[in-house]
Amino acid sequence: MRSIGICTLYTGFNYGSALQAAATRQVLSNLGYRGEILKVSGSLIPGRDVRLKKMLVLGMNLMRHLPQMKKTVRSYLGDSRQSLSPETKERFTHFYANFLKPLELTEGQMKKLAKGEEYAAFLCGSDQIWNSTTYYVDPFYYLTFAPTHKRIAFAPSFGRDYIAPHNRKKLKKYISAIPHLSIREDVGRDMIRELTGRDAQVLADPSLLLDRQEWCGLLGLSEEHQSEPYVLAYFLDEPSEKARETMKFYREKGYKILSLPYDRPGDWFDACISAGPREFLQYLLNAEIICTDSFHGTAFSLNFEKPFHTFERQYGAATKQSARLTSLLKLVDMEDRYDALPRDDTHPDWNCCRAVLEAERKKSMEYLLTSLASLEK
């Protein structure tokens, strides 16, 4: 069995990042390949990708953009109001080590590996690995270490709806050198066409390529009767007033509000729960309703066919990233679930969503098979 290297974001104690990496590896396994998640060695902070060389280049670039320095530093340090419990961090670390099992290599070792015959190809994607406003464009996520003919972009995301002027030249160079090109959002396709003159295929996030049954089998999840029905509140930033109104609405109907991933102050929830990626999906599977500001919170709600409400995220210092969310909801004709107050009818019609996701899975498989067949020749 030949290997395929996967270059993606999976660290940072983020459910979506970890689970999309797991999904990509499983999809490759279904196609008869061994997916190997690759990591550049040398991070200064456990659970994060904070390398010395990366920080030095980032610092030099920020010296030319001083107004952005404070904002960037805050994004790396994180919001002091958002703290993860030791149990949550431990479960993430266990998931990384025992399920994702990344192969950690130096840049030199990676180049040597890429030239050999063991690896048929290298994928970059998914998640926001092509952050278009970053002050450090990481060549690892554009597969520059690998021979050009082995490079495949598998549904990466820019995470934004524009490319910052200081990144246009470098992104054009890196993306133009990838022969098999796909992206995760419609707006990303438009950005690539404007930047390079090429057409990229729009593919679904890898987490959507496994259905509920496959996820349950992969992670040992089970549907269980709940004596106390609950709403799962998954917010990456503080919930908006509209989100709080919605959770108050369900609280008054008798639902318990369980919040994750952070231990945070507030009176809009009943309990903060500790959960790694597997436990997150277990809670989501057994929730009555999902309230979230997260792309992957929305994606798994759609995939598991759980009634949900998605709210505009309160980004604070971070750059807005709503394009990927609205693109996904438009795809499944559920734009009315975005940033809207609750209705008595909380159960969407899943028929359209089911058909769209099945078509998207087929499209992604065909893209991978076509790309890999070209390389095998």
Side-chain angles (χ1 to χ4, degrees):
M1 180 184 293
R2 297 189 73 188
S3 298
I4 293 178
I6 303 167
C7 301
T8 189
L9 289 169
Y10 69 89
T11 57
F13 303 115
N14 181 281
Y15 298 130
S17 298
L19 291 168
Q20 63 82 23
T24 301
R25 197 177 68 168
Q26 184 59 39
V27 165
L28 292 175
S29 177
N30 292 345
L31 294 178
Y33 292 89
R34 181 174 59 252
E36 193 82 70
I37 296 172
L38 303 180
K39 178 184 179 183
V40 182
S41 62
S43 180
L44 304 174
I45 302 176
R48 299 286 301 274
D49 180 20
V50 183
R51 289 167 269 140
L52 180 59
K53 178 181 176 181
K54 178 178 177 180
M55 293 300 103
L56 290 173
V57 175
L58 178 63
M60 290 172 63
N61 289 339
L62 284 171
M63 291 300 291
R64 296 193 290 269
H65 301 86
L66 286 176
Q68 297 298 320
M69 182 171 286
K70 183 178 179 181
K71 184 176 179 180
T72 303
V73 170
R74 283 180 61 189
S75 71
Y76 269 88
L77 294 177
D79 191 329
S80 59
R81 297 170 299 173
Q82 298 177 340
S83 61
L84 295 170
S85 70
E87 187 178 357
T88 290
K89 288 185 177 181
E90 183 180 338
R91 288 177 175 177
F92 264 102
T93 301
H94 183 271
F95 188 84
Y96 295 153
N98 296 281
F99 193 83
L100 296 183
K101 300 178 180 179
L103 179 61
E104 194 166 339
L105 301 168
T106 65
E107 293 180 10
Q109 289 172 326
M110 212 164 286
K111 289 179 181 178
K112 184 177 180 181
L113 184 80
K115 291 178 181 178
E117 294 298 317
E118 180 185 353
Y119 280 74
F122 295 86
L123 301 186
C124 55
S126 177
D127 216 11
Q128 296 180 58
I129 60 168
W130 288 359
N131 182 338
S132 59
T133 60
T134 184
Y135 287 92
Y136 176 69
V137 177
D138 194 335
F140 173 70
Y141 296 121
Y142 297 84
L143 308 175
T144 60
F145 65 89
T148 303
H149 70 279
K150 287 188 176 183
R151 301 176 191 177
I152 300 174
F154 186 49
S157 173
F158 290 111
R160 292 29 172 198
D161 58 4
Y162 71 99
I163 298 173
H166 60 270
N167 285 332
R168 291 184 66 84
K169 183 176 180 181
K170 187 162 285 188
L171 262 60
K172 179 178 180 178
K173 175 184 175 182
Y174 285 170
I175 293 172
S176 296
I178 300 175
H180 305 281
L181 199 54
S182 67
I183 196 72
R184 203 170 68 183
E185 293 92 21
D186 292 336
V187 67
R189 175 182 56 194
D190 297 339
M191 290 159 65
I192 288 175
R193 184 182 295 125
E194 189 272 332
L195 187 68
T196 69
R198 293 177 59 193
D199 284 319
Q201 193 163 352
V202 178
L203 301 179
D205 183 85
S207 66
L208 293 168
L209 303 186
L210 307 181
D211 62 24
R212 177 169 60 179
Q213 184 177 350
E214 288 175 294
W215 275 113
C216 288
L218 183 64
L219 297 182
L221 310 177
S222 59
E223 295 188 71
E224 301 166 355
H225 173 72
Q226 303 298 311
S227 57
E228 289 186 279
Y230 62 87
V231 172
L232 186 66
Y234 174 34
F235 288 90
L236 297 173
D237 285 291
E238 287 300 302
S240 64
E241 285 303 314
K242 197 175 289 186
R244 290 170 190 259
E245 283 184 51
T246 299
M247 287 180 284
K248 180 181 178 182
F249 170 84
Y250 285 116
R251 228 178 185 178
E252 291 173 350
K253 284 181 170 289
Y255 291 101
K256 193 173 182 179
I257 310 297
L258 300 184
S259 171
L260 50 68
Y262 302 112
D263 286 336
R264 61 198 342 159
D267 58 2
W268 52 268
F269 58 87
D270 296 297
C272 289
I273 52 179
S274 297
R278 181 193 173 278
E279 293 78 21
F280 162 65
L281 287 190
Q282 182 68 62
Y283 276 113
L284 189 143
L285 179 65
N286 287 291
E288 290 293 317
I289 298 154
I290 315 298
C291 290
T292 188
D293 62 358
S294 153
F295 172 85
H296 282 101
T298 304
F300 277 108
S301 298
L302 293 169
N303 206 355
F304 287 13
E305 299 187 3
K306 307 296 295 188
F308 71 97
H309 300 280
T310 298
F311 297 95
E312 176 73 25
R313 184 174 164 188
Q314 306 301 293
Y315 287 97
T319 305
K320 288 195 173 185
Q321 307 159 20
S322 302
R324 59 189 188 138
L325 251 176
T326 53
S327 179
L328 174 62
L329 291 172
K330 182 180 179 181
L331 180 68
V332 296
D333 195 24
M334 290 196 190
E335 293 168 282
D336 61 334
R337 315 297 299 187
Y338 186 66
D339 215 36
L341 290 172
R343 305 168 301 188
D344 288 331
D345 175 22
T346 60
H347 293 271
D349 180 0
W350 295 110
N351 291 324
C352 172
C353 178
R354 207 173 294 142
V356 168
L357 292 185
E358 189 55 40
E360 289 299 316
R361 290 174 187 134
K362 183 179 179 182
K363 183 165 70 170
S364 292
M365 292 301 103
E366 289 176 349
Y367 170 81
L368 278 177
L369 286 170
T370 301
S371 300
L372 291 169
S374 172
L375 294 182
E376 292 288 7
K377 289 180 181 179

